[in-house]
Amino acid sequence: MDPSLPYLTLLILIGCTECFPDDRQQNGTGRYDYCVLGAGPSGLQMGYFLSRAKRDYVILERNSGPGSFFNKYPRHRKLISINKIYTGSQNREFNMRHDWNSLLSDRPNLLLKRVSRDFFPPADAFPVYLSMFEKELGLRVRYGVDIGRIGAVRSPEGRRYILTDQHELDYTCSVLLVASGLWVPQRVEFVGSDLVEGYESISTDPEDYKDQAVLILGKGNSAFETAQSISGRAKLVHMLSSNPVRLAWQTHYVGDLRAVNNDLLDTYQLKSLDGLAEIPLDKIAITQLKEQGWSRSGAKKKVNKPKFCVTLKKYLQHQEEKNGSDARRAETLEYQLDNFSMRKPYDRVISCLGFRFNFSIFQSSARPLNSDNAKGRLPRLTAWYEGDNTPGLFVLGTAAHSRDYRSSAGGFVHGFRYTVRSVHRVLEQRYHGNPWQSTELSTTQLQSWILKRINEASGPYQMFEVLGDVILLRGSRCEYVEEFTLQALPRFSSLSGHEVSKHGLIVLVMQYGKNKVDYLGRGRADTEWTTAWKSNFLHPVLYYYDKLPTDEEMKLRPPGWPLPRPKAIHHMVEDFLTEWGTPISHIQPLRRFLEHCVQTDLRAFYNHASACPSPTASRRCFVSRAT
């Protein structure tokens, strides 16, 4: 831990004792244009954008400081989000590709590295950083406001949301931005689930697991983080879930198991007592055996510590009367199947199944629907992060991950800091008539600007296949709109405030290949530009449309595609250095594609760009060409 962290923590905690002063709350009105629920990273990120736009807002937080989730989680106190201090570049936008913790602001030094320089920072550093972010930007946060009820009403001004706190004080707003995160533990109900300890309450002292047999339910990062912490003291650690473990470096999904937590895979595969197994959790039963022993005097022996066995509920007799109560030997799988992998009893069973959205505070008039994915534990949202059935209610941050669940980084800081910005741009257009930020370019500047974006921009790089740049072609000129939500493309004009002309549009997306390959095997990457469409790793793809796709076309897009089939498509071949600036493999094929789309000869401008001696230097050339 950085030696300056305790000192910074003290200063921040002193500052957090004062709540944001607001006369409206003192006189009981509590009316705002925008209410942000939660002062975690997504709530503060939205607060920054609202403050910069000089909007009427308040952030409501039930705890005494920001980011309170991280005061407890992860339980073993190490973040798995990258904090890469040195990249060899001074470009702020490029460096954010490798800073997975800092929020967006106009202050170049307001970054997590001021608090911690560890590659995987201590969890205690993050609330300190968030407090620093809030104080230095002067965000309007009210602490100690525990919202227990949210409803919606119709008024002459339109739909309004009413948030009621623990003192029965009301906060009323036209737009509700829910940034409360996920903190309710996810549970699976099965026979014996009452015997299971929760990740949120277990001891984090490895000595408390000395010489014990431990069963962990789940195979995500919280499960493996727990297993890694206790495996040096426990007799054995077994892990059980419905599905096999998914490795982040194979799936490209950062929510899957990260290498920093996967020590137990070694001890399992090298046969050192630990192990992984798969059974649908709703089919199991955790039972406490009826053990009868006799002492030498003939009296029944007292059993001090219970032992827990895993069985299938179909073997239990009178299971409607059992909810984790004692089981007979004949009801265990050891009796039914003598080589069952988990036939030996366990000293404790721990549930590490993640978290779910807190739907309980919403009345029926304001309650978002449950998502169709993620086992319904997230709210169902439109492509622009508004509740499907709750107009004016937007969900931010981790809770909005239903839009890109298991496909991109929207559930994590380095992803949702950009989706929050996209939501703010939607709000500015809808409620204030300010079109989505754009850059006007001549067609001859387009190639340089695209190359600048694909080599620097962090938003499309982190939110691959979810956020993309939209280029509106207008003859000899074009309009460059950054980081639009791709699945909302049919609604582009109404959401962004920009019209599509008869010349059509180009959409720039970062995406992975869809082929199943061995990502550590030979031939895992394609380096030939003529077969760039076979690229497996992250690479730019450009889609050309002569008009906006329809909602129906978006629904019928090919499986795994972020967008419908275009009139023309161009893949830029993957690059080992993630620098797409080489003259033959990257720039020349891009130029030919753009010439086809804009019907203009761009060779003279290609020659200038290719004169840059290296991709790093070319980023500077492209900036000078486009400004």
Side-chain angles (χ1 to χ4, degrees), residues 57-128:
Y57 78 96
V58 67
I59 302 173
L60 304 175
E61 168 58 48
R62 63 179 180 156
N63 292 293
S64 58
S68 57
F69 177 88
F70 296 93
N71 290 327
K72 183 175 183 180
Y73 301 107
R75 293 300 313 282
H76 300 89
R77 312 312 293 144
K78 181 194 281 189
L79 300 178
I80 58 173
S81 44
I82 291 171
N83 182 39
K84 192 166 181 61
I85 304 297
Y86 304 105
T87 66
S89 173
Q90 299 301 314
N91 185 291
R92 288 175 58 195
E93 181 70 13
F94 174 80
N95 287 342
M96 290 298 275
R97 290 183 172 187
H98 311 288
D99 176 348
W100 289 13
N101 301 280
S102 299
L103 300 181
L104 306 178
S105 77
D106 54 5
R107 300 195 180 187
N109 67 336
L110 195 48
L111 305 173
L112 185 86
K113 67 181 180 181
R114 280 176 54 187
V115 180
S116 172
R117 301 182 74 81
D118 293 343
F119 189 70
F120 292 116
D124 292 332
F126 199 53
V128 174

Side-chain angles (χ1 to χ4, degrees), residues 312 315 332-343:
L312 297 179
Y315 292 127
T332 68
L333 272 177
E334 181 184 5
Y335 181 88
Q336 302 289 339
L337 184 65
D338 66 354
N339 68 339
F340 174 57
S341 57
M342 289 173 288
R343 59 186 177 271

Side-chain angles (χ1 to χ4, degrees), residues 130-310:
L130 294 178
S131 297
M132 185 171 68
F133 187 89
E134 175 233 323
K135 292 298 178 185
E136 291 191 16
L137 294 173
L139 305 184
R140 304 171 187 170
V141 186
R142 288 189 60 85
Y143 293 108
V145 179
D146 189 0
I147 299 299
R149 186 171 66 250
I150 299 175
V153 295
R154 294 283 183 183
S155 71
E157 298 84 18
R159 183 181 177 93
R160 296 188 69 83
Y161 289 92
I162 301 175
L163 293 72
T164 305
D165 70 7
Q166 72 272 35
H167 304 298
E168 292 299 315
L169 292 175
D170 288 342
Y171 300 80
T172 306
C173 59
S174 302
V175 179
L176 174 58
L177 300 157
V178 180
S180 52
L182 305 179
W183 55 271
V184 180
Q186 173 76 348
R187 297 279 187 250
V188 175
E189 294 298 325
F190 52 81
V191 176
S193 58
D194 58 306
L195 299 174
V196 175
E197 301 175 68
Y199 171 72
E200 69 281 1
S201 59
I202 59 170
S203 168
T204 57
D205 183 356
E207 292 297 326
D208 290 340
Y209 301 85
K210 185 176 180 180
D211 203 29
Q212 293 184 356
V214 181
L215 175 64
I216 296 177
L217 304 182
K219 294 201 193 93
N221 280 295
S222 64
F224 272 90
E225 162 211 327
T226 302
Q228 189 153 302
S229 171
I230 69 176
S231 61
R233 293 292 181 270
K235 176 173 66 177
L236 61 84
V237 178
H238 288 169
M239 306 185 74
L240 179 65
S241 66
S242 302
N243 299 304
V245 64
R246 302 182 181 99
L247 304 174
W249 59 265
Q250 288 182 325
T251 64
H252 306 303
Y253 174 58
V254 296
D256 285 336
L257 177 61
R258 301 285 302 287
V260 67
N261 282 330
N262 71 7
D263 287 3
L264 201 86
L265 296 183
D266 264 10
T267 54
Y268 168 43
Q269 290 295 326
L270 299 177
K271 304 311 292 179
S272 184
L273 296 177
D274 302 327
L276 281 65
E278 290 78 42
I279 301 176
L281 294 185
D282 59 350
K283 305 296 184 186
I284 70 168
I286 304 294
T287 62
Q288 185 175 324
L289 281 173
K290 288 181 177 178
E291 294 190 18
Q292 291 186 350
W294 301 89
S295 67
R296 291 182 179 179
S297 63
K300 285 187 179 180
K301 184 165 53 177
K302 183 178 180 181
V303 179
N304 292 323
K305 292 185 178 180
K307 297 284 187 177
F308 305 106
C309 286
V310 177

Side-chain angles (χ1 to χ4, degrees), residues 398-583:
T398 303
H401 195 29
S402 60
R403 286 307 314 173
D404 64 303
Y405 183 65
R406 297 197 50 77
S407 61
S408 196
F412 313 92
V413 173
H414 64 287
F416 66 61
R417 62 192 177 195
Y418 300 105
T419 59
V420 169
R421 181 162 65 183
S422 295
V423 171
H424 179 254
R425 288 170 173 170
V426 170
L427 300 177
E428 284 294 302
Q429 161 61 16
R430 180 187 294 184
Y431 298 108
H432 308 287
N434 296 323
W436 201 289
Q437 180 180 334
S438 64
T439 303
E440 285 229 15
L441 304 168
S442 69
T443 301
T444 55
Q445 291 176 302
L446 180 56
Q447 175 182 269
S448 296
W449 196 264
I450 288 175
L451 288 167
K452 173 181 181 293
R453 289 287 294 169
I454 64 176
N455 284 294
E456 292 179 2
S458 180
Y461 189 89
Q462 302 291 15
M463 287 304 297
F464 53 89
E465 303 183 20
V466 174
L467 298 180
D469 293 352
V470 179
I471 304 157
L472 304 174
L473 304 179
R474 308 197 188 284
S476 63
R477 302 198 64 78
C478 58
E479 200 166 357
Y480 202 106
V481 179
E482 298 179 0
E483 296 172 22
F484 189 77
T485 51
L486 295 177
Q487 293 182 29
L489 193 60
R491 314 289 181 88
F492 175 81
S493 295
S494 61
L495 292 173
S496 72
H498 298 282
E499 295 297 328
V500 177
S501 76
K502 64 180 181 179
H503 298 283
L505 66 154
I506 298 172
V507 184
L508 171 60
V509 185
M510 301 296 289
Q511 62 186 66
Y512 282 94
K514 306 305 176 186
N515 297 321
K516 299 288 185 181
V517 299
D518 180 355
Y519 287 105
L520 293 180
R522 293 183 182 275
R524 59 187 176 270
D526 196 295
T527 58
E528 179 56 53
W529 68 267
T530 57
T531 55
W533 57 274
K534 293 183 179 179
S535 295
N536 293 313
F537 290 88
L538 193 67
H539 64 285
V541 184
L542 292 94
Y543 295 72
Y544 168 70
Y545 299 94
D546 58 359
K547 60 183 178 181
L548 280 175
T550 64
D551 286 322
E552 187 66 17
E553 288 171 333
M554 183 63 75
K555 291 178 184 177
L556 299 177
R557 65 188 186 275
W561 283 42
L563 291 169
R565 290 191 183 277
K567 289 291 183 180
I569 189 169
H570 175 65
H571 288 254
M572 295 182 69
V573 69
E574 59 190 325
D575 188 78
F576 183 74
L577 301 177
T578 61
E579 292 180 339
W580 293 272
T582 60

